[in-house]
Amino acid sequence: YGGRANQAGSVTYTDWTELSSVFNGAASIVLVYDPNLAISRTIHLPLGLESSTATVNVTVDWGDGQTQSFTSRGTRSHQYAGSVTNPVTVTISGDLTHYGGDVDQTGLLRVDSFGFKLGLVSLRRALMRTSPNLSVVNAKIPPQVTDLSGLFEEANIGVDLSGLDLANVTNISRMFHIAEFNGDLSGWDT
């Protein structure tokens, strides 16, 4: 899956990781945001915030016709014009070892892919401060990701996480720290 919210035409990803990844994860991180729900119509991407040794060499397609490239860690923010009234699909492509950090994610609606070709090893605090508007989190985690600590820290989670793939994850500490969540995790294999 990799369709763009409320936009005509298909999106072509030229570097799928495997045949099943058409449904379980594109090569890039694919996120759908509603700028109307984000504070000041601004979304924030935590690129490598949780590690001083993070590799960051990415291109971000903000979903409104603008793209930017980043080669250093930091919070990357984008404010949407008032003319952008529908949800946007944000795509992060390139090389990125750590995604996550202390940023507000209230406008996030869906995580369609965590990016199977970025080289991610950590999603620590990646979905921090999400709201009940988050309706989809792709259950497939890239196999090299071992750290999901604080993934939903300070979040209000209304999404089904029962199928989250934790096969190679070694750290889930504080995953739900100060979070509101009442889901079934009995099927998790940790």
Side-chain angles (χ1 to χ4, degrees):
Y1 177 76
R4 297 176 78 76
N6 297 315
Q7 294 188 13
S10 61
V11 170
T12 303
Y13 287 96
T14 58
D15 195 14
W16 296 102
T17 57
E18 59 188 44
L19 183 59
S20 66
S21 70
V22 170
F23 298 106
N24 293 329
S28 305
I29 293 178
V30 181
L31 308 167
V32 177
Y33 285 89
D34 185 341
N36 299 306
L37 299 175
I39 297 171
S40 300
R41 301 184 54 77
T42 302
I43 63 167
H44 309 281
L45 301 179
L47 303 180
L49 293 181
E50 296 293 317
S51 171
S52 61
T53 61
T55 297
V56 178
N57 187 10
V58 298
T59 299
V60 176
D61 177 342
W62 295 103
D64 63 353
Q66 297 185 46
T67 61
Q68 285 181 287
S69 295
F70 302 103
T71 57
S72 61
R73 327 171 29 244
T75 300
R76 306 304 177 203
S77 301
H78 184 74
Q79 186 172 35
Y80 290 86
S83 59
V84 178
T85 58
N86 292 318
V88 294
T89 300
V90 176
T91 306
I92 305 168
S93 304
D95 296 313
L96 180 66
T97 56
H98 296 74
Y99 180 81
D102 189 1
V103 299
D104 184 89
Q105 297 283 333
T106 55
L108 184 61
L109 301 178
R110 294 193 329 249
V111 178
D112 289 342
S113 173
F114 282 110
F116 279 67
K117 286 281 222 164
L118 292 172
L120 283 172
V121 296
S122 175
L123 290 168
R124 181 177 182 207
R125 299 169 90 189
L127 302 177
M128 183 177 188
R129 295 196 190 113
T130 53
S131 73
N133 296 312
L134 179 63
S135 62
V136 173
V137 174
N138 191 314
K140 291 292 189 181
I141 304 293
Q144 68 277 13
V145 172
T146 59
D147 187 359
L148 296 182
S149 61
L151 181 65
F152 295 102
E153 191 171 323
E154 297 179 32
N156 186 340
I157 309 151
V159 66
D160 178 15
L161 299 174
S162 62
L164 200 62
D165 181 6
L166 302 176
N168 297 313
V169 175
T170 58
N171 186 355
I172 59 171
S173 65
R174 300 171 60 100
M175 183 181 246
F176 298 101
H177 181 69
I178 315 175
E180 294 181 38
F181 178 68
N182 192 22
D184 179 13
L185 304 179
S186 62
W188 279 15
D189 181 17
T190 58

